[in-house]
Amino acid sequence: MIVKTLLDTDLYKFTTSYAYIKLFPYAMGTFSFNDRNETQYTEDFLKALKTEIKNLSQLRFTEKELEYMTKNCRFLPRVYWEWLSSFRFDPNKIDIHLDEACHLHMEVTDLLYKVTLYEVPLLAIVSEIKNRFFGNVADMNEILCKLSEKIELSNQHQLRFSEFGTRRRFSIDVQETVIKKLNETAHYCTGTSNCNFAMKYGMKMMGTHPHEWFMFHGAQFGYKHANYMALENWVNVYDGDLGIALSDTYTSGIFLSNLSRKQAKLFDGVRCDSGNEFEFIDKLVARYKELGIDATTKTIVFSNALDFTKALDIQEYCQNKIRCSFGIGTNLTNDTGFEPSNIVMKLTQCKMNVNQEWRECIKLSDDEGKHTGSLEEVQACLYELRLN
């Protein structure tokens, strides 16, 4: 059994789930799997995947976990964790098959506050089973040797980072080995996004909100207003907690032009997840200056497929301009010598209630060629935002 607890996921899945419950309890959505490497899978792989999905349905939120999360997540009320105690993954909600080219298709549809919880465990399961079926065996000594160099770099340069590697980890064993070492020796590791390992090793849980929150708002309220309304609604739920705003769902340029003075002052900073980090630093600092805000009181969290060397370059560039920290995932939990899975599950459609028609959810990116969604809807979004 790969995923053994409901807490083996990222914190932001719970914070987003609760935000849906509070503001959009009848909203529904579909998450769809995409393998960007177009990996060819086998029927045996599919059989193993279905077995693990069936195992997911056996998971129960325990009393010990409830007490821990209630105590350590002051921004989520106990009633949410009590609801989670009744939650069960439902394999019947997951449509899964291989096409004629042996590419994996996987979709989950349910109420948004439930369906959002499927994403991370399903990705982690696919990644681990894929490595098993491809005969990839991780050399733990080699992993720890590489990790020691990264930790030394962080300790030497006071490079603050969090572990964000659950969804594309090589395996749960590799992730735990890495987190255990980080917890023991990395002086500037600020925490982990994985709630289970945070609980097990006494680390801080890290995370705020995902692209799906903005994609939902874009589909329901229009792309021009998506960033503003998504941030306003986040504040309505969390009242200033979880204050790192995601900037690139509809390009960071659009985000910065829509960023109000109130939001810029209220949010602690911004997460940069695509595009040129150095250009983004300059643009964000300039926007804060425009709004009369001292950028050195704000933070950028960088999380775009980083390694420690690049993070160090970014940190040096930020010096005396703005604070920075880093969310590092695959480079920590899947730096094994084997090609990591390039897999995602994205919100592809949503509706506000069961009677509404489905609306497509799309995402633009600051990286060329990484827009997600149908060409027609992407073009409609680009036109609405006057980007084409």
Side-chain angles (χ1 to χ4, degrees), residues 153-171:
L153 195 68
S154 168
N155 287 346
Q156 185 180 344
H157 296 279
Q158 300 180 16
L159 184 77
R160 299 171 65 82
F161 71 95
S162 303
E163 183 277 325
F164 275 20
T166 301
R167 69 189 55 225
R168 296 191 191 103
R169 66 194 182 195
F170 184 92
S171 68

Side-chain angles (χ1 to χ4, degrees), residues 142-156 159 161 178 182 186 306-309 328-336:
E142 184 183 339
I143 290 168
L144 288 171
C145 185
K146 288 182 184 176
L147 183 60
S148 292
E149 293 175 6
K150 296 167 188 175
I151 291 170
E152 188 179 338
L153 195 68
S154 168
N155 287 346
Q156 185 180 344
L159 184 77
F161 71 95
V178 166
L182 291 175
L306 294 171
D307 59 38
F308 280 76
T309 305
I328 300 181
T330 306
N331 187 252
L332 283 171
T333 62
N334 208 338
D335 188 9
T336 60

Side-chain angles (χ1 to χ4, degrees), residues 243-311:
I244 298 293
L246 185 55
S247 64
D248 68 333
T249 309
Y250 300 111
T251 75
S252 59
I254 292 295
F255 174 88
L256 291 175
S257 66
N258 289 344
L259 185 66
S260 70
R261 188 167 187 271
K262 181 185 87 172
Q263 290 173 344
K265 287 178 76 71
L266 185 60
F267 278 82
D268 302 319
V270 174
R271 179 154 72 93
C272 174
D273 196 49
S274 63
N276 184 300
E277 289 88 353
F278 303 96
E279 290 176 7
F280 181 76
I281 293 163
D282 292 339
K283 289 175 182 175
L284 181 60
V285 168
R287 181 60 176 152
Y288 278 134
K289 188 176 180 181
E290 258 180 59
L291 295 168
I293 295 168
D294 179 1
T296 62
T297 66
K298 300 294 180 178
T299 300
I300 307 180
V301 178
F302 297 92
S303 59
N304 184 22
L306 294 171
D307 59 38
F308 280 76
T309 305
K310 184 174 182 182

Side-chain angles (χ1 to χ4, degrees), residues 151-366:
I151 291 170
E152 188 179 338
L153 195 68
S154 168
N155 287 346
Q156 185 180 344
H157 296 279
Q158 300 180 16
L159 184 77
R160 299 171 65 82
F161 71 95
S162 303
E163 183 277 325
F164 275 20
T166 301
R167 69 189 55 225
R168 296 191 191 103
R169 66 194 182 195
F170 184 92
S171 68
I172 188 170
D173 290 340
V174 167
Q175 185 180 20
E176 180 159 17
T177 299
V178 166
I179 285 177
K180 189 170 183 290
K181 180 76 170 176
L182 291 175
N183 194 41
E184 290 169 353
T185 62
H187 305 317
Y188 296 94
C189 178
T190 53
T192 173
S193 62
N194 187 292
C195 299
N196 175 50
F197 290 128
M199 178 178 172
K200 188 169 183 178
Y201 292 103
M203 298 171 74
K204 186 176 180 181
M205 288 174 281
M206 308 296 291
T208 53
H209 51 231
H211 292 107
E212 72 178 85
W213 183 249
F214 295 81
M215 293 163 73
F216 168 76
H217 282 78
Q220 293 299 325
F221 304 112
Y223 302 114
K224 277 184 181 176
H225 308 293
N227 286 317
Y228 181 82
M229 289 197 67
L231 293 184
E232 286 295 294
N233 278 331
W234 196 253
V235 172
N236 289 340
V237 176
Y238 290 111
D239 200 28
D241 276 327
L242 303 169
I244 298 293
L246 185 55
S247 64
D248 68 333
T249 309
Y250 300 111
T251 75
S252 59
I254 292 295
F255 174 88
L256 291 175
S257 66
N258 289 344
L259 185 66
S260 70
R261 188 167 187 271
K262 181 185 87 172
Q263 290 173 344
K265 287 178 76 71
L266 185 60
F267 278 82
D268 302 319
V270 174
R271 179 154 72 93
C272 174
D273 196 49
S274 63
N276 184 300
E277 289 88 353
F278 303 96
E279 290 176 7
F280 181 76
I281 293 163
D282 292 339
K283 289 175 182 175
L284 181 60
V285 168
R287 181 60 176 152
Y288 278 134
K289 188 176 180 181
E290 258 180 59
L291 295 168
I293 295 168
D294 179 1
T296 62
T297 66
K298 300 294 180 178
T299 300
I300 307 180
V301 178
F302 297 92
S303 59
N304 184 22
L306 294 171
D307 59 38
F308 280 76
T309 305
K310 184 174 182 182
L312 187 58
D313 290 340
I314 294 169
Q315 178 175 268
E316 288 175 358
Y317 193 78
C318 285
Q319 203 161 6
N320 301 321
K321 296 187 182 88
I322 194 167
R323 297 172 186 169
C324 65
S325 66
F326 302 88
I328 300 181
T330 306
N331 187 252
L332 283 171
T333 62
N334 208 338
D335 188 9
T336 60
F338 301 104
E339 184 181 7
S341 296
N342 192 359
I343 53 177
V344 294
M345 281 193 83
K346 293 291 184 188
L347 183 65
T348 51
Q349 61 176 7
C350 67
K351 53 184 178 179
M352 193 62 85
N353 56 61
V354 71
N355 297 315
Q356 192 186 67
E357 289 185 3
W358 288 104
R359 295 182 182 174
E360 184 181 357
C361 298
I362 66 162
K363 173 182 172 290
L364 305 186
S365 174
D366 290 335

